[in-house]
Amino acid sequence: MSKLSHGLSLNQMQLLAYAIYSTQKDGNTAFRKADFEKKFDLEYKTEHARQDAQKISQLQFSIIDLENDYFEFWNVFNGIKYEHGKFTFRWSTDFIPHILELKEKFITTDLTIASQFNSSFSWTLYDYLQAHYGYWHKPISKEAIMRLFGVENKKTYKENTGRFKKTVLDVAIKEINALTDLEVRYNEEREGRTIIGFDLIWSNGKKVTSATKKQIKEIQSILDIVFEDMFQYININDEDDRQRAIKLIREIENMREFTGEPICITKEKADDLIKKAVWNFREMNRLLEKNNRPVSEKSVKKVKFYNWLEDRS
DNA sequence: AGAGCAACTGCTTCGGACAG
DNA sequence: CTGTCCGAAGCAGTTGCTCT
């Protein structure tokens, strides 16, 4: 969603959210402006509706993975119509499957809470924090956070970090702290006297503890073994088993982003990752044995180690 | 209920003062 | 000298009101 709603004004985000909401609720692809206004507690002039609808109607949904020679772009809407207070819109057929994905993240949590936000920046930041479930802090460069808020071209903010804080970041944090369960603050990261980034720190009221170095090392060690034995796994003869092994490897590989410094995930999240990694690892070795492939000595040791841990508990 | 106009509010930008 | 802070001015967006 963050990518989809990038650079939209608050009203535009609300309009998009309400379109998704209406579709989700009763499959309706039309809604009355009055209902929309009521939901977000605002007045919406037709001229603004026109501008916002025009912007929304040009939205695109993209998936880009150039490393694998892959990209796709789809329009979100085929069109949007407005007539005497009634919006009618038609989703692009290729986008419809994605609406379902958006539902969980966007509709159930965000709309009730986010409808209270007065600033689009609050919406954006809230979305960003929600997307980083399992993290408890996240360092982000000034450039990146400006891009997140869609203000990377504002001269004032580029040259005057104080203004950026006052009118963008602080506004968003204040609203989130006031209206949601999250508690957000940040530390400034400086290089000399220049602010080069922020370390966003947040919690949902519950006490959170950072993942330990030991936990991260544990994830790292599984990553290393899997990587070393990669060829064993992808050379499995049986097509189905090979595809399954590749999928399991990918899942483990994706954990690499959490192992870097500084440690940003919670203890709880690290526990989940370790469990998941061990499970995948065992499953992969099972596939090797099933296909009469040798399991490396390191892997055998690792599996024994986990068996031993479980026997004790 | 929706459209349109006028007064007002607050944001952005610019340039200059100030501090390390 | 470089980067941050601050005030003035212009202007876009908001509010409140009336008319259709």
Side-chain angles (χ1 to χ4, degrees), chain A residues 132-176:
Chain A
H132 284 78
Y133 183 81
Y135 285 70
W136 65 280
H137 80 119
K138 176 84 184 161
I140 180 168
S141 71
K142 187 187 164 190
E143 200 189 23
I145 200 168
M146 284 177 72
R147 244 182 288 125
L148 172 69
F149 286 118
V151 296
E152 67 271 30
N153 294 322
K154 303 275 185 220
K155 217 172 159 184
T156 315
Y157 298 153
K158 259 194 255 178
E159 291 167 4
N160 187 340
T161 312
R163 282 295 171 87
F164 170 72
K165 288 192 320 197
K166 197 177 158 197
T167 47
V168 181
L169 189 56
D170 288 352
V171 171
I173 287 178
K174 202 176 156 199
E175 278 205 333
I176 290 174

Side-chain angles (χ1 to χ4, degrees), chain A residues 23-247:
Chain A
T23 309
Q24 278 303 328
K25 203 176 56 171
D26 41 26
N28 213 341
T29 53
F31 58 84
R32 296 206 58 78
K33 184 154 81 81
D35 295 334
F36 172 74
E37 289 173 324
K38 208 173 153 193
K39 181 81 189 177
F40 291 101
D41 194 23
L42 52 82
E43 270 187 61
Y44 204 37
K45 300 280 175 295
T46 306
E47 173 59 15
H48 298 143
R50 184 188 65 73
Q51 287 168 5
D52 289 343
Q54 186 174 8
K55 178 85 194 269
I56 294 290
S57 70
Q58 293 163 6
L59 268 185
Q60 283 201 329
F61 181 80
S62 63
I63 299 171
I64 303 171
D65 184 358
L66 287 180
E67 281 171 40
N68 290 308
D69 281 341
Y70 184 87
F71 56 82
E72 52 179 290
F73 296 97
W74 302 105
N75 288 326
V76 173
F77 291 101
N78 269 346
I80 299 177
K81 190 173 87 175
Y82 178 77
E83 198 175 16
H84 299 303
K86 190 180 179 190
F87 286 98
T88 311
F89 49 93
R90 198 174 304 144
W91 297 103
S92 149
T93 29
D94 298 299
F95 184 70
I96 286 172
H98 297 294
I99 300 175
L100 294 167
E101 285 172 31
L102 294 177
K103 180 188 173 187
E104 274 189 29
K105 179 162 164 287
F106 201 58
I107 302 310
T108 51
T109 55
D110 287 28
L111 200 53
T112 39
I113 293 166
S115 65
Q116 304 170 65
F117 290 149
N118 290 315
S119 163
S120 68
F121 301 135
S122 311
W123 191 301
T124 304
L125 183 62
Y126 184 67
D127 193 45
Y128 178 78
L129 297 180
Q130 292 287 2
H132 284 78
Y133 183 81
Y135 285 70
W136 65 280
H137 80 119
K138 176 84 184 161
I140 180 168
S141 71
K142 187 187 164 190
E143 200 189 23
I145 200 168
M146 284 177 72
R147 244 182 288 125
L148 172 69
F149 286 118
V151 296
E152 67 271 30
N153 294 322
K154 303 275 185 220
K155 217 172 159 184
T156 315
Y157 298 153
K158 259 194 255 178
E159 291 167 4
N160 187 340
T161 312
R163 282 295 171 87
F164 170 72
K165 288 192 320 197
K166 197 177 158 197
T167 47
V168 181
L169 189 56
D170 288 352
V171 171
I173 287 178
K174 202 176 156 199
E175 278 205 333
I176 290 174
N177 285 343
L179 299 169
T180 77
D181 290 341
L182 294 180
E183 235 186 272
V184 194
R185 62 193 173 85
Y186 60 85
N187 289 332
E188 290 165 6
E189 308 219 308
R190 288 171 186 268
E191 202 165 69
R193 291 184 304 132
T194 318
I195 297 173
I196 53 156
F198 300 90
D199 189 8
L200 295 171
I201 303 164
W202 69 97
S203 72
N204 55 0
K206 280 179 274 173
K207 198 171 183 241
V208 289
T209 33
S210 171
T212 62
K213 282 203 169 141
K214 203 175 155 194
Q215 283 178 308
I216 299 297
K217 264 189 169 171
E218 196 53 50
I219 298 172
Q220 189 75 53
S221 75
I222 298 174
L223 269 167
D224 290 345
I225 293 177
V226 167
F227 192 71
E228 263 180 51
D229 292 353
M230 183 98 88
F231 286 107
Q232 291 292 342
Y233 299 119
I234 59 178
N235 282 333
I236 290 174
N237 287 331
D238 184 86
E239 177 67 27
D240 285 348
D241 285 351
R242 187 172 62 244
Q243 287 307 325
R244 180 154 167 70
I246 289 171
K247 184 172 166 268

